[in-house]
Amino acid sequence: MTTKSFRFIASAMVVAGFASHATAQNMSEINIVLPEQPANLEPCGTIITNVGQILSRNVVEPLTVIDPKSGQATPGLATEWTQTDPNTWQLKLRAGVKFQDGTEFNAKAVQFSIERMTGGKVNCSNIAKFGAAKLTVEAVDDLTVAIKSDTPQPILPTLLSVVMVVSPNTPADKAVNDPVGTGPFKLVSFTPQTVVLEGFDGYWGKKPDITKATYVWRPESSIRAAMVETGEADLTPSIAIQDATNPETDFAYLNSETTALRIDAGFAPLDDVRIRKALNLAIDWEGLAQLFGDDTKRASQMVVVGINGHDDKLAPWTFDAEQARALIAEAKAAGVPVETEIELIGRNGIYPNGTEAMEAMMAMWQDVGLNVKLTMLDVNDWLRYLQKPFPEGRGPNLLQMMHDNNKGDAAFTIPIFYTSEGSYSTISDPALDKEIADALAATGEDRTNGFKAIFNKVHDELALDIPMFHMIGYTRVGTRLDWKPDITTNSEIPLANIGLKN
């Protein structure tokens, strides 16, 4: 049996629940297959890939939208904005907008959504993008809102692209799986098998070509690719390089994702910088790259080229197993418990060949004398380790991550990972906190140089993480769709941007 035949059979077996596209009445309905099931559909968590790809700009909409080509903030639910003082921005809101439950969109709704995001009663991943900033919101009039920060926020309009506005009828004190927004699609159902969205007739903007979208999830890249090839699905946003074999349907694109491992620096032996450097030096980076494709680029920092603060001159770690062994021996002689077990925590379906990458890296660390054991988790359990409060009773660990920054500025990255209060941070360094605060408050060249200095310090002096690769994405798009991926595809797939070919 050929590989292609096997993929066709596997596809047919797992997608029996999909309706056929054969009848004319559902030609405007599409099926999308994702790599993993969303942990939830809480709109405050759209920075998580499998949540954002369903909800963002479909069910819920942000105040601003980032242009993928320029990286600049453009109008969303806010149409214009003015900085009235270093700490305050005033926004004009779009008129004539309604939520999917019939409620009017206005300044009070924006105030509610931001206060719900920042209030601490809902576990909100999106708030991580604001770092330690404290926001105060005032409804000036029905369609004007003033947002004040306790520290200067020169790029607040860009940051507001992660503020998803929800109906004031949304519970303010608990996460939801039935979000109500202003987007062109409303949520119809969310089950362990599917998510279904249908067009919202009261949408303020242009009516999309798509009338209904059904999402399912399959972890195997080959099966996702086969589902699109056979017509059982119309789109899968992520396939492995070995499955991107059809130039008519498979598109490679430079996305904004950086793969990495976060080092939990609060536990021995990971609290010793020599061990953290040894972890980076022990990896055969050229060999590992074969899992990701020839077009991927080695990473030395957690943002891609084109993001303000990226330092082109910062060189990635090289492979030097002997130096790694020497650093481990030096740490052991100094009393560091290098034999302590380190848990490598991976996430199923995080990116194509992700499990294979973790298995390879574990073997390389074991080869230089570190006691590393791999645990693969589904997204719900993995999220517990990603964001504070971290699980009690954990020990030294390395966390597999893929960080997305397509917003044009390192402010969406540095505070989350490297400040004492950062949502993903495992360190507390007051001097680094001060350096980061100064960079965030700066503008122009001072801001760029400040971010570059931080990335250099994090990499060369502190070795706080293990940057892997800036990723190339591979997407398979069915022949009846008029759509191609771009830098934002890993965080959102706006259905309104998908056309249907005749």
Side-chain angles (χ1 to χ4, degrees):
M1 181 182 293
T2 66
T3 300
K4 185 173 182 180
S5 298
F6 173 79
R7 287 167 57 194
F8 270 49
I9 292 171
S11 172
M13 290 173 63
V14 297
V15 298
F18 266 155
S20 170
H21 290 302
T23 55
Q25 62 265 29
N26 58 15
M27 285 299 292
S28 62
E29 301 177 8
I30 67 169
N31 297 322
I32 297 175
V33 55
L34 303 175
E36 58 183 346
Q37 179 180 359
N40 54 60
L41 290 183
E42 166 53 53
C44 204
T46 54
I47 67 168
I48 305 299
T49 295
N50 55 21
V51 180
Q53 287 180 331
I54 296 173
L55 294 185
S56 182
R57 298 176 63 193
N58 291 325
V59 176
V60 290
E61 297 182 296
L63 289 168
T64 63
V65 175
I66 302 302
D67 184 313
K69 295 181 180 179
S70 69
Q72 298 300 307
T74 63
L77 290 175
T79 56
E80 56 183 282
W81 40 87
T82 305
Q83 188 172 20
T84 57
D85 63 54
N87 293 49
T88 308
W89 288 80
Q90 191 169 100
L91 287 78
K92 293 291 184 181
L93 305 179
R94 193 174 296 278
V97 177
K98 288 185 179 294
F99 289 96
Q100 293 141 8
D101 61 3
T103 306
E104 296 283 345
F105 166 75
N106 54 28
K108 289 291 186 182
V110 172
Q111 182 177 14
F112 169 81
S113 296
I114 294 178
E115 290 177 350
R116 181 178 185 270
M117 183 181 77
T118 59
K121 295 181 179 180
V122 177
N123 187 14
C124 180
S125 299
N126 289 17
I127 190 62
K129 298 295 188 180
F130 287 85
K134 303 294 187 295
L135 303 181
T136 304
V137 187
E138 177 190 358
V140 178
D141 58 41
D142 199 43
L143 291 175
T144 308
V145 65
I147 302 176
K148 181 181 288 291
S149 174
D150 61 337
T151 56
Q153 293 291 339
I155 63 159
L156 186 69
T158 301
L159 291 168
L160 293 176
S161 64
V162 301
V163 175
M164 297 295 159
V165 180
V166 296
S167 167
N169 296 319
T170 304
D173 58 352
K174 63 179 181 180
V176 299
N177 281 322
D178 56 351
V180 175
T182 60
F185 292 84
K186 58 186 178 181
L187 177 68
V188 175
S189 65
F190 176 26
T191 72
Q193 291 76 41
T194 63
V195 172
V196 179
L197 307 183
E198 289 184 353
F200 170 42
D201 290 337
Y203 182 56
W204 59 268
K206 181 183 177 182
K207 185 177 181 179
D209 291 347
I210 306 301
T211 60
K212 180 180 179 180
T214 300
Y215 300 80
V216 299
W217 29 90
R218 302 288 183 264
E220 302 89 350
S221 169
S222 61
I223 290 178
R224 294 196 304 276
M227 289 168 69
V228 178
E229 187 172 358
T230 61
E232 298 288 352
D234 297 288
L235 167 65
T236 183
S238 177
I239 59 174
I241 182 174
Q242 61 265 27
D243 297 316
T245 57
N246 186 344
E248 294 184 5
T249 60
D250 303 339
F251 300 96
Y253 65 101
L254 179 62
N255 63 30
S256 54
E257 300 277 11
T258 302
T259 54
L261 289 163
R262 185 192 65 198
I263 302 173
D264 197 333
F267 298 90
L270 301 178
D271 58 351
D272 190 281
V273 69
R274 290 167 293 196
I275 300 301
R276 299 198 297 270
K277 289 182 176 181
L279 286 164
N280 280 279
L281 290 164
I283 301 303
D284 178 358
W285 293 107
E286 185 175 340
L288 192 68
Q290 296 176 23
L291 292 171
F292 298 93
D294 295 337
D295 294 325
T296 55
K297 299 183 184 302
R298 275 282 288 121
S300 61
Q301 55 211 287
M302 292 297 293
V303 295
V304 299
V305 175
I307 300 298
N308 184 34
H310 176 92
D311 189 348
D312 295 335
K313 296 180 181 178
L314 181 57
W317 292 95
T318 57
F319 175 41
D320 192 333
E322 289 307 311
Q323 187 180 354
R325 292 188 183 98
L327 286 169
I328 294 168
E330 181 182 325
K332 182 176 182 179
V336 177
V338 300
E339 70 286 346
T340 301
E341 182 174 297
I342 300 168
E343 185 177 20
L344 172 58
I345 302 171
R347 185 180 115 194
N348 292 320
I350 189 170
Y351 46 77
N353 297 329
T355 300
E356 292 82 353
M358 293 303 98
E359 291 171 343
M361 295 174 82
M362 177 183 67
M364 294 171 192
W365 287 322
Q366 291 173 344
D367 182 61
V368 296
L370 292 172
N371 183 9
V372 180
K373 303 296 181 184
L374 174 62
T375 301
M376 295 300 298
L377 300 177
D378 288 333
V379 63
N380 283 330
D381 289 330
W382 173 86
L383 282 169
R384 296 170 53 240
Y385 289 88
L386 174 67
Q387 187 168 336
K388 294 176 179 176
F390 302 129
E392 294 184 9
R394 76 194 189 284
N397 66 85
L398 309 170
L399 186 72
Q400 182 185 26
M401 300 186 306
M402 186 162 67
H403 174 62
D404 177 23
N405 184 342
N406 55 33
K407 306 299 186 182
D409 194 275
F412 284 90
T413 299
I414 285 175
I416 308 173
F417 287 104
Y418 307 127
T419 62
S420 299
E421 296 186 24
S423 296
Y424 303 166
S425 173
T426 66
I427 64 162
S428 180
D429 185 332
L432 187 59
D433 288 345
K434 175 65 166 56
E435 193 172 344
I436 292 171
D438 290 345
L440 291 170
T443 58
E445 190 174 340
D446 289 341
R447 184 181 187 86
T448 302
N449 291 336
F451 287 150
K452 286 183 178 181
I454 292 162
F455 280 129
N456 276 265
K457 184 174 184 178
V458 164
H459 184 275
D460 293 342
E461 296 179 31
L462 302 177
L464 292 179
D465 41 32
I466 304 167
M468 294 171 57
F469 300 98
H470 300 311
M471 299 290 280
I472 297 293
Y474 297 89
T475 292
R476 177 163 286 187
V477 182
T479 55
R480 72 191 196 97
L481 300 190
D482 183 11
W483 181 83
K484 290 183 180 180
D486 61 30
I487 195 172
T488 67
T489 297
N490 276 0
S491 55
E492 61 183 26
I493 306 175
L495 296 171
N497 291 348
I498 298 177
L500 294 170
K501 296 178 182 177
N502 295 330

